[in-house]
Amino acid sequence: MTETKSYETIAANVAAVRENMRQAALQAGRDPEEITLVAATKVQTSQTIRNAIQAGITVCGENRVQELVAHLEDDAYAGARVHFIGHLQTNKVKFVVGKVDMIESIDSQRLMDAVEKQAAKVGVVQDILLEVNIGQEESKGGAKREEILTLARHAAQCPHLRLRGLMCIPPATATEEENRGFFQETYQLFVDMKEKLGDNVSNIDCLSMGMSGDYPLAIAGGSTMVRVGTALFGARPPWHPQG
Ligand SMILES: *Cc1c(COP(=O)(O)O)cnc(C)c1O
């Protein structure tokens, strides 16, 4: 956890990010309305989240199951939707499935099956994205790009899952030029997946890519959802994603 950020600070940051998003969309000949700003709220307090929602944030992205559970208990997300965007272990799906509007980080058939099973148990249809490890990093979550179509076809067979699209996190060390390439490749995967799934595609409309350092570039590359933390809430203290 970190100190609570004021409504005024967050509101100014939300306005600046939305303006950058709008410019990037217009420059790319896109409708700014088709791009959603997801506030990445890891390490933020429940009060910071409430302030962000008051400042116009409509979707919060949560990384860690433990923080998600605590914020849900606090009713911190009231008035907004919640996406799970972090690494999800199969033994923790019960804390997430049916509690969030979308799980953006499905990266294996095993995890998908666990989510399907839990969704059936609690009687919901869970929106999901497939996360692709577009930089082919050894240590990173996300499916290999060549696995995506198989996973998408598997999702289409799961009655309690609704596949909505793809998510990617390019390598932290990527240059702007490399990022442009990664976004392009993810966009192409997204288009191919829609095409190949044929009649089952009506729900596939989300391409989640872009963070504080690269969201204008991601929007130029076709993103429909940017996940922004630092540019809204300031720098975070050191944090361990798997901890
Ligand atoms: C933290 C995080 C973000 C936001 O990162 P910033 O660089 O702070 O904007 C986006 N996506 C995921 C999955 C994250 O964990």
Side-chain angles (χ1 to χ4, degrees), residues 10 14 18 37-39 52-60 79-80 232-233:
I10 299 170
V14 168
R18 286 210 195 278
L37 172 59
V38 177
I53 293 166
Q54 200 196 340
I57 288 299
T58 57
V59 189
C60 296
L232 296 176
F233 304 116

Side-chain angles (χ1 to χ4, degrees), residues 40 42 63 85 167 169 211-212 227-230 236:
K42 59 175 168 268
N63 274 76
I85 61 177
M167 185 267 257
I169 310 173
M211 317 200 330
S212 292
R227 308 173 312 270
V228 177
T230 308
R236 286 179 298 271

Side-chain angles (χ1 to χ4, degrees), residues 9-56:
T9 303
I10 299 170
N13 291 342
V14 168
V17 169
R18 286 210 195 278
E19 179 54 22
N20 291 339
M21 289 172 63
R22 202 179 68 86
Q23 295 292 344
L26 294 178
Q27 263 171 40
R30 301 183 57 198
D31 177 1
E33 297 289 314
E34 71 186 35
I35 303 149
T36 303
L37 172 59
V38 177
T41 51
K42 59 175 168 268
V43 313
Q44 306 302 335
T45 64
S46 288
Q47 189 54 43
T48 294
I49 292 172
R50 290 189 195 100
N51 291 347
I53 293 166
Q54 200 196 340

